[in-house]
Amino acid sequence: MSGDHQALALVLFSAFVAVTLGITTWVSRNRRGSAEEFYAGGRLFSPMENGFAIAGDYMSAASFLGISGLIALFGYDGMLYSVGFLVAWLVVLFLVAELVRNCGRFTLADVVASRMSARKVRIASGTSSVTVSVLYLVAQMVGAGSLVALLLGGSSEAARSWTVVGVGALMVIYVSMGGMRATTWIQIVKAVLLMAGAVAMTVLVLVRFGGDVGQLLTSAAERSGHGSDFLAPGLRYGGDWTSRLDFISLGLALVLGTAGLPHILSRFYTVPTARAARRSVVWSIGLIGSFYLMTIVLGFGAAAVVGTAEVRASNAAGNTAVPLLALDLGGGAGSTGGTVLFAVVAAIAFATILAVVAGITLASSASVAHDLVASLRRNPGRERPRDGRPPRRRLGEVAVARLAAVGIGAVAIGLGLLARDLNVAFLVGLAFAVAASANLPVLLYSLFWRGFTTRGALWSVYGGLVPAVLLVVLSPVVSGSEQALFPGVDFQVFPLENPGLVSIPLGFLAGWIGTVTSPEPPDDARHAETEVRALTGAGAV
């Protein structure tokens, strides 16, 4: 990449960072400092604002960089991500959004703890929420590193590493200073920029082929090196039964995982009513659906215009397909149009990453402070020291959340450096699998099963979380292949790259077994109260 590309992209990216830091600073001066303000933005956002924010939170680096890259590399099979990410919102709309808004306050654990032994359930749900959030954050870090490596010449490992560190530092600043209100406005700005950039790129791709989608697909197949197989199922997930089962496993994770993502669930608490939560999901579905249709055009466009071999040569995981496509559509390397379009796309991708990591960090720090730390503090014996001295003053919940953001950022940075050669959409698929295994079963059981008990809730969370994480560790993702995190060792036992096919049923099964074997009877009164609140909104915060 030329110096012009670097300079212009960095100027545009710096402008976005300056604007968002300005928003964060302004919000930090005008906040009340309460937990409701920090976690939920005062619940003052309209359905349209929250819909744009949800879209901005959901359309991550995996969407913009990863999915398009997978389509450019694997054609038809890469579209599974676009379809799965979109269909998942039907589950959110019909089963989750309104009920979660009525039953909870700030986090997923609020919904489950409303009718269970709160402390144990909060610790379990908080642990799973932080695990999912960290996995999701790693994907965004990898996307940032890949983009900067391309910007600075494609081989600068130091630049990739420092970019991961810089993105982590910025996300901590956004969350610790501005909370949900600043994060929401950053996501709205990012959603508008991303949609505008995707529309412009899609139009340019279609114009290049005269509006003929058939010609676009034919050219993509020719330049992919796979011929007609590029447009048929099976290039990535075909062949043996292991690949086919991996396809099913990934599909399950993508469709069911969204309803268990902590940073998506927390967005339903930023609107004043359950009706507003439902309407905001409708707004987000419209935006997200339009965007994922455009990623299909961009993916096949990258294959047709840039070429699959060139995309893979730039980044083996395909994460740089869209920036390379922008460079070519603008006039090629060295041209003014190519420089401008490449710089704009790079800046939008940076904006995407920053906005998403802010939302995820906020949700995970809320789980740490509101669920984990608050639950561990709830011990009356610790409030009265035996020596008669007054108890030490403790940090408030919001202060703990800010400190948690720092710690989570540090963990995400470390893992992002380790996983920098994996596709970002693939990494997000793992996060979805863990969310669908650990969070979704306990959420659905709590909302719809009258006989669900505390033991069932604990077994459901840990029965999905532990197998999901363990199977990932023992899969080809971590060892046993050239693309693994540790290619030099081989302790692979589980053959599938995505654990969802096994871990999701285990989460539901463990919750059922824990409930039917529980010595405690279900609390019918608390369930009835939760059911009335979920369906009517009576007594909701």
Side-chain angles (χ1 to χ4, degrees):
M1 297 297 118
S2 69
D4 291 338
H5 295 129
Q6 299 175 22
L8 186 54
L10 291 174
V11 166
L12 291 173
F13 172 58
S14 300
F16 177 82
V17 172
V19 170
T20 52
L21 285 176
I23 293 173
T24 303
T25 303
W26 178 78
V27 169
S28 67
R29 292 178 178 176
N30 293 275
R31 66 171 190 262
R32 296 192 300 270
S34 64
E36 184 176 26
E37 175 69 26
F38 186 81
Y39 294 142
R43 308 185 199 280
L44 299 175
F45 293 101
S46 69
M48 185 180 73
E49 291 170 342
N50 197 46
F52 269 83
I54 290 174
D57 212 355
Y58 192 70
M59 296 184 301
S60 64
S63 304
F64 193 49
L65 302 177
I67 293 177
S68 300
L70 285 174
I71 294 174
L73 296 180
F74 302 106
Y76 183 97
D77 281 8
M79 290 196 302
L80 173 64
Y81 286 87
S82 292
V83 175
F85 283 152
L86 178 56
V87 172
W89 280 97
L90 298 178
V91 179
V92 176
L93 177 62
F94 292 118
L95 293 180
V96 172
E98 186 173 354
L99 302 181
V100 166
R101 173 61 187 83
N102 284 337
C103 289
R105 190 180 178 204
F106 300 130
T107 65
L108 165 69
D110 288 336
V111 179
V112 184
S114 62
R115 50 172 294 204
M116 305 291 176
S117 176
R119 185 179 182 185
K120 295 178 181 179
V121 169
R122 284 190 181 278
I123 292 174
S125 297
T127 301
S128 66
S129 295
V130 171
T131 303
V132 172
S133 297
V134 169
L135 284 174
Y136 212 114
L137 281 172
V138 170
Q140 312 311 310
M141 302 295 192
V142 171
S146 298
L147 196 61
V148 167
L150 176 63
L151 183 66
L152 299 182
S155 59
S156 177
E157 291 297 326
R160 296 174 70 179
S161 300
W162 280 110
T163 300
V164 170
V165 174
V167 170
L170 282 172
M171 76 184 185
V172 170
I173 293 172
Y174 289 146
V175 172
S176 60
M177 289 181 60
M180 179 59 82
R181 193 181 295 272
T183 299
T184 298
W185 283 110
I186 291 169
Q187 289 162 345
I188 291 173
V189 171
K190 167 254 175 155
V192 172
L193 291 174
L194 183 59
M195 289 298 294
V199 168
M201 290 275 292
T202 300
V203 169
L204 289 173
V205 170
L206 294 177
V207 168
R208 173 69 69 90
F209 293 93
D212 188 344
V213 177
Q215 184 182 352
L216 166 64
L217 296 177
T218 301
S219 299
E222 291 174 352
R223 297 207 61 187
S224 69
H226 299 286
S228 60
D229 291 341
F230 191 70
L231 304 179
L235 191 59
R236 178 179 173 89
Y237 294 107
D240 57 15
W241 277 104
T242 299
S243 298
R244 297 178 185 179
L245 290 176
D246 227 341
F247 182 88
I248 298 173
S249 186
L250 176 62
L252 278 175
L254 296 181
V255 171
L256 299 178
T258 299
L261 293 177
H263 65 291
I264 297 299
L265 295 176
S266 65
R267 291 237 54 93
F268 300 137
Y269 302 126
T270 63
V271 290
T273 64
R275 182 171 181 265
R278 188 173 62 252
R279 290 175 59 194
S280 65
V281 172
V282 174
W283 272 99
S284 65
I285 287 176
L287 294 168
I288 293 168
S290 302
F291 176 77
Y292 282 129
L293 288 175
M294 290 186 285
T295 61
I296 296 174
V297 176
L298 297 179
F300 283 112
V305 174
V306 180
T308 298
E310 288 76 7
V311 170
R312 184 174 282 108
S314 172
N315 182 273
N319 294 327
T320 56
V322 171
L324 289 174
L325 175 63
L327 185 63
D328 196 295
L329 291 174
S335 66
T336 301
T339 298
V340 171
L341 191 56
F342 174 86
V344 169
V345 168
I348 290 174
F350 273 124
T352 296
I353 291 166
L354 287 177
V356 172
V357 297
I360 301 170
T361 305
L362 179 60
S364 54
S365 62
S367 293
V368 171
H370 185 64
D371 299 327
L372 296 177
V373 175
S375 297
L376 294 174
R377 283 179 171 180
R378 288 169 189 162
N379 188 338
R382 296 183 182 178
E383 300 294 337
R384 301 185 182 90
R386 295 182 178 180
D387 57 8
R389 293 180 298 177
R392 289 180 297 176
R393 184 177 181 182
R394 287 173 166 174
L395 289 174
E397 188 174 305
V398 173
V400 173
R402 293 193 176 102
L403 291 176
V406 177
I408 291 168
V411 172
I413 288 170
L415 292 177
L417 294 174
L418 184 64
R420 59 182 178 267
D421 293 324
L422 296 181
N423 181 275
V424 289
F426 172 74
L427 287 170
V428 166
L430 296 182
F432 273 61
V434 178
S437 304
N439 291 346
L440 184 62
V442 71
L443 180 61
L444 294 182
Y445 279 150
S446 298
L447 291 173
F448 298 107
W449 188 7
R450 178 179 294 273
F452 198 44
T453 63
T454 298
R455 174 188 279 186
L458 296 176
W459 284 30
S460 181
V461 173
Y462 293 125
L465 176 64
V466 174
V469 174
L470 183 61
L471 291 177
V472 170
V473 172
L474 298 177
S475 74
V477 175
V478 176
S479 70
S481 68
E482 295 181 358
Q483 295 79 29
L485 291 180
F486 303 104
V489 295
D490 186 1
F491 48 85
Q492 170 196 341
V493 176
F494 185 65
L496 305 183
E497 293 184 345
N498 191 291
L501 185 62
V502 176
S503 60
I504 295 173
L506 283 178
F508 281 98
L509 180 62
W512 178 79
I513 293 175
T515 297
V516 298
T517 61
S518 177
E520 59 174 307
D523 193 330
D524 292 333
R526 292 182 69 179
H527 172 77
E529 178 184 347
T530 301
E531 186 176 40
V532 170
R533 187 169 60 189
L535 296 177
T536 67
V541 178

